[in-house]
Amino acid sequence: MKRSLLSYLRDPQSGAEFELSVTAQSGAEILEGCLTAPDGTSYPISKGVPRFVPHDDYVENFSFEWTKHRTTQLDSANGSQESEIRFAESLPYPLSDLAGKVVLDVGCGMGRFAEIVLKYGGTVVGIDLSYAVDAAWTNMGQHPNANFVQANVYALPFAPESFDLIYSLGVLHHTPDPRAAFDCLPTLLQPGGVVMTTFYAAYNKAYVAASEFWRWAFRRIPRQRLYTMAHISIPFYYLTRLPKIGKVFSTLLPMSDHRRAEWRVLDTFDWWSPQYQFYFTHPEVFRWYQEQRLTDIVVKGPGISLAGTRPA
């Protein structure tokens, strides 16, 4: 972490500011140390990451997958602009407007979208409950405008009104209570700041039922074995391309049809392995934004993607 992050950090229990002690540092990056609140509560800094949780709780599958696929979805590693295009789809203003903004990435994974914020001149703080934060720090932790924090979305360690933009794309539906998780975000926005989210869509009932059936069927399979099973998505991709019956295959056994084989395996494991997975409609999530008194609410894409502004 950088010392500049300290101005945003607060004890998630008391809201107090921290005293920083450093035991190892490399350039501007604090690698090891401790954050201590006035009441004596302390949190370690380990491998460049402040840790506000003792373990990865219910998201061990994501710790596993992002360690294995640390660079699969990084545009800089795969030579595409896929993540940039995906991010732009949900952002309610041009990517160039990210310059100078302070951004919170909720559920940052290995930093897929954080890389886009950095590319366009923003400062990003990525949080994740899983050990994906270590993959993200390895990918871009040395960037002067990047920080990563291991924390729980229900107890975020930040001062109110810290961020110009908060986004969580395809993450909150994997929490025990997505609505409660969403409600933790708007107070961290500066007046005029934007929050944007993406959730799985509930409209295709057959797909949702099949997806939930297989997730239930696979729930006791060890992660490594399930990951090996996810490699069936590589040849299965070609079955889904068959005329007429291809759609049936993809509905009965939901698997990724991404054009890159490695990405297909990653996405398929990602769909089969979560402990929690929920689906929503646009009106449901729209009401969440309204009840948080967000304005200028816009529906974006893909899935259930919305963005709203905290009134000035």
Side-chain angles (χ1 to χ4, degrees), residues 164-184:
D164 301 299
L165 170 68
I166 300 173
Y167 64 84
S168 186
L169 307 182
V171 176
L172 298 184
H173 49 231
H174 292 311
T175 62
D177 186 342
R179 170 62 195 272
F182 173 81
D183 286 345
C184 294

Side-chain angles (χ1 to χ4, degrees), residues 3-308:
R3 290 182 183 272
S4 57
L5 179 65
L6 199 61
S7 63
Y8 301 105
L9 289 175
R10 297 292 185 273
D11 183 348
Q13 303 305 318
S14 67
E17 296 183 17
F18 289 114
E19 180 178 333
L20 171 66
S21 60
V22 179
T23 56
Q25 187 166 344
S26 175
E29 193 71 17
I30 298 166
L31 301 179
E32 305 289 333
C34 189
L35 295 163
T36 305
D39 65 1
T41 304
S42 64
Y43 304 90
I45 302 167
S46 174
K47 301 177 184 177
V49 176
R51 315 279 178 168
F52 291 92
V53 290
H55 51 72
D56 54 355
D57 201 13
Y58 57 86
V59 291
E60 291 180 350
N61 61 302
F62 295 115
S63 297
F64 175 88
E65 73 179 59
W66 294 124
T67 299
K68 280 191 171 291
H69 290 271
R70 181 175 64 83
T71 61
T72 298
Q73 294 184 337
L74 282 183
D75 283 358
S76 60
N78 61 40
S80 78
Q81 290 186 299
E82 189 159 344
S83 293
E84 180 172 327
I85 293 168
R86 166 65 188 89
F87 190 78
E89 286 180 318
S90 294
L91 190 66
Y93 46 72
L95 288 168
S96 58
D97 287 359
L98 291 169
K101 285 185 166 54
V102 181
V103 180
L104 180 64
D105 180 342
V106 178
C108 64
M110 42 42 118
R112 174 188 183 186
F113 300 121
E115 182 179 58
I116 309 306
V117 175
L118 296 172
K119 177 181 176 179
Y120 283 90
T123 294
V124 68
V125 179
I127 74 108
D128 207 294
L129 180 59
S130 80
Y131 293 113
V133 289
D134 294 313
W137 188 90
T138 299
N139 286 336
M140 61 201 73
Q142 296 292 336
H143 192 289
N145 291 335
N147 281 285
F148 297 97
V149 176
Q150 189 175 13
N152 192 321
V153 68
Y154 299 109
L156 290 169
F158 302 111
E161 301 186 0
S162 288
F163 302 100
D164 301 299
L165 170 68
I166 300 173
Y167 64 84
S168 186
L169 307 182
V171 176
L172 298 184
H173 49 231
H174 292 311
T175 62
D177 186 342
R179 170 62 195 272
F182 173 81
D183 286 345
C184 294
L185 305 183
T187 58
L188 299 180
L189 283 174
Q190 293 185 11
V194 170
V195 60
M196 66 181 194
T197 56
T198 297
F199 297 91
Y200 286 158
Y203 297 115
N204 187 335
K205 302 299 183 184
Y207 176 88
V208 170
S211 180
E212 288 304 283
F213 169 78
W214 290 112
R215 194 169 62 87
W216 171 82
F218 294 152
R219 72 190 188 282
R220 292 189 178 89
I221 297 176
R223 288 190 303 276
Q224 181 59 60
R225 187 178 301 172
L226 185 60
Y227 177 74
T228 300
M229 291 169 57
H231 283 72
I232 195 176
S233 62
I234 297 176
F236 190 81
Y237 168 82
Y238 300 100
L239 291 178
T240 63
R241 291 298 185 270
L242 294 175
K244 297 182 181 179
I245 63 172
K247 189 173 183 180
V248 176
F249 279 125
S250 60
T251 298
L252 293 179
L253 183 55
M255 280 190 273
S256 173
D257 63 353
H258 194 277
R259 59 190 177 84
R260 296 173 184 263
E262 182 184 18
W263 199 309
R264 289 204 293 277
V265 174
L266 165 62
D267 274 353
T268 299
F269 178 82
D270 186 277
W271 298 348
W272 288 357
S273 60
Q275 181 174 343
Y276 298 103
Q277 190 157 284
F278 298 94
Y279 303 81
F280 299 96
T281 64
H282 286 97
E284 284 180 282
V285 179
F286 196 93
R287 282 195 297 273
W288 300 358
Y289 277 73
Q290 288 180 315
E291 289 167 8
Q292 282 293 327
R293 299 184 179 180
L294 296 166
T295 61
D296 301 320
I297 305 169
V298 292
V299 176
K300 306 290 288 184
I304 309 302
S305 292
L306 287 87

